[in-house]
């Protein structure tokens, strides 16, 4: 059972995804700097709010997007290295998401008069997205690291968690895209009053460009990550099989049987 070589098209799609991942992050930074007065903390809640979109995009889109691409890009080489990089990127997203969440709640609570919390469709979607991310982190740690403490005994259970973890990774990413797009729409409607959003002032192009980049990312990431051709599943653990000259390989899609000398 040989592993295929990723096609030129695969690398083209990854290249496009990279442009979009960097593009949406840079656009958000430029937008906040030039149109929203930059960043601040509790002494200026309007500026504190600006941390929310930028850090949510950093955590949920930029870092999580890269964490998922890592397995597809480096799955061919050093499995442990890919796993470590995947975990580090995921962990780097945690402080971004925590600070982004604190910033948005502060921007409601510390305003005079305070704005009610969790009333909007966007905020409800946000809660589900954050909840799924937390669950992913827990399952990821549980399956990849904690259960390694008892590698042989828990290998089939861990193998059964891998497809769940990878499917929910993509689902969380898609939900994050949808949440970001609803947040951008909401912010555009709040901010662009004079001149109105419908007249397409310069700032409107930033909102629309970020939303379009996110939409394109949803399409490309969905295609690349869901397609078993790009590249085929990578072995993440080796488990001895019933006979001495063979072994089972645990892949993202369960166990496959392989000759030892492959
Ligand atoms: C996956 C990314 C995101 C998540 C998980 C998320 C989550 C949340 C949550 C939970 C709230 C409610 C806070 C409260 O009720 O006090 C909120 C509010 C808000 N978010 Fe986001 N957000 C995300 C991305 C964005 C982006 C990219 C923008 C773009 C500007 C944005 C704009 C807003 C705005 C304007 C509010 C205040 C109004 C409201 O409560 O709906 N969000 N967000």
């Amino acid at each position: 059972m040989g592993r295929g070589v990723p096609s030129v098209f695969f690398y083209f799609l990854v290249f496009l995804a990279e442009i979009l991942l960097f593009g949406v992050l840079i656009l958000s930074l430029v937008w906040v700097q030039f149109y929203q007065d930059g960043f601040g903390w509790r002494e200026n809640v309007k500026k504190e709010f600006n941390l929310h979109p930028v850090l949510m995009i950093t955590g949920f889109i930029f870092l999580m997007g890269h964490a998922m691409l890592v397995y597809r890009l480096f799955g061919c080489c050093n499995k442990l290295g890919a796993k470590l990089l995947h975990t580090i990127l995921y962990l780097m997203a945690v402080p971004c998401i925590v600070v982004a969440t604190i910033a948005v709640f502060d921007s409601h609570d510390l305003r005079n008069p305070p704005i009610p919390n969790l009333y909007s469709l966007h905020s409800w979607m946000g809660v589900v997205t954050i909840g799924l991310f937390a669950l992913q982190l827990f399952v990821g740690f549980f399956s990849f690291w904690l259960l390694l403490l008892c590698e042989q005994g828990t290998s089939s259970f861990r193998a059964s968690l891998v497809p769940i973890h990878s499917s929910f990774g993509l689902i969380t990413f898609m939900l994050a895209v949808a949440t970001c797009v609803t947040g951008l729409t909401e912010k555009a409607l709040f901010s662009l009053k004079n001149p109105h959003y419908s007249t397409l002032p310069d700032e409107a192009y930033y909102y629309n460009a970020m939303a379009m980049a996110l939409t394109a990312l949803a399409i490309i990431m969905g295609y690349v990550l869901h397609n078993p051709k790009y590249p085929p599943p990578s072995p993440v653990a080796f488990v001895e099989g019933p006979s001495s000259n063979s072994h089972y390989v645990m892949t993202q899609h369960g166990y496959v049987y392989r000759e030892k000398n492959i």
Side-chain angles (χ1 to χ4, degrees):
M1 195 195 215
R3 287 167 54 78
V5 178
S7 65
V8 174
F9 188 54
F10 165 77
Y11 287 111
F12 173 70
L13 289 178
V14 171
F15 177 67
L16 270 186
E18 285 296 333
I19 291 178
L20 291 165
L21 287 169
F22 276 94
V24 73
L25 183 60
I26 292 167
L27 273 175
S28 71
L29 285 165
V30 174
W31 161 65
V32 162
Q33 211 52 49
F34 286 98
Y35 293 97
Q36 300 290 327
D37 292 338
F39 301 104
W41 195 237
R42 289 184 172 149
E43 69 290 343
N44 185 336
V45 283
K46 276 195 171 174
K47 289 189 179 184
E48 185 181 0
F49 169 83
N50 295 338
L51 288 169
H52 175 69
V54 172
L55 287 179
M56 284 299 190
I57 287 174
T58 308
F60 273 112
I61 305 299
F62 187 81
L63 292 171
M64 215 175 110
H66 276 104
M68 293 192 304
L69 278 180
V70 156
Y71 267 142
R72 289 292 185 275
L73 273 177
F74 305 116
C76 59
C77 323
N78 183 344
K79 308 297 171 312
L80 194 65
K83 198 192 287 188
L84 202 64
L85 194 56
H86 176 81
T87 309
I88 289 171
L89 286 164
Y90 239 101
L91 288 181
M92 280 167 67
V94 175
C96 295
I97 293 167
V98 169
V99 175
T101 307
I102 294 172
V104 79
F105 275 91
D106 276 356
S107 78
H108 280 200
D109 296 339
L110 305 180
R111 221 170 270 237
N112 196 10
I115 302 170
N117 288 315
L118 302 178
Y119 68 88
S120 65
L121 164 67
H122 166 73
S123 64
W124 288 23
M125 288 179 72
V127 169
V128 176
T129 312
I130 294 168
L132 275 185
F133 177 85
L135 211 66
Q136 272 292 96
L137 207 66
F138 178 73
V139 172
F141 256 107
F142 194 60
S143 62
F144 290 136
W145 294 111
L146 291 183
L147 291 175
L148 281 180
L149 294 174
C150 178
E151 192 175 346
Q152 295 280 309
T154 61
S155 53
S156 67
F157 178 58
R158 274 183 291 126
S160 69
L161 284 181
V162 173
I164 299 173
H165 178 73
S166 76
S167 299
F168 270 88
L170 189 55
I171 292 168
T172 309
F173 184 83
M174 295 298 182
L175 255 178
V177 166
T179 307
C180 285
V181 171
T182 54
L184 286 165
T185 308
E186 204 178 70
K187 182 66 180 166
L189 292 169
F190 285 157
S191 297
L192 299 176
K193 296 236 165 80
N194 193 18
H196 193 261
Y197 188 17
S198 59
T199 65
L200 274 183
D202 286 351
E203 189 179 350
Y205 285 98
Y206 279 84
Y207 291 107
N208 290 5
M210 283 187 271
M212 288 320 292
L214 289 164
T215 306
L217 268 173
I219 297 169
I220 295 173
M221 297 288 278
Y223 185 72
V224 166
L225 296 170
H226 197 257
N227 195 333
K229 251 184 12 184
Y230 297 142
S234 49
V236 292
F238 294 88
V239 182
E240 284 303 315
S243 76
S244 58
N245 64 348
S246 64
H247 66 222
Y248 288 100
V249 178
M250 189 174 77
T251 74
Q252 290 184 322
H253 301 286
Y255 281 104
V256 293
Y257 183 77
R258 279 196 187 180
E259 290 308 315
K260 241 189 180 148
N261 56 359
I262 293 177

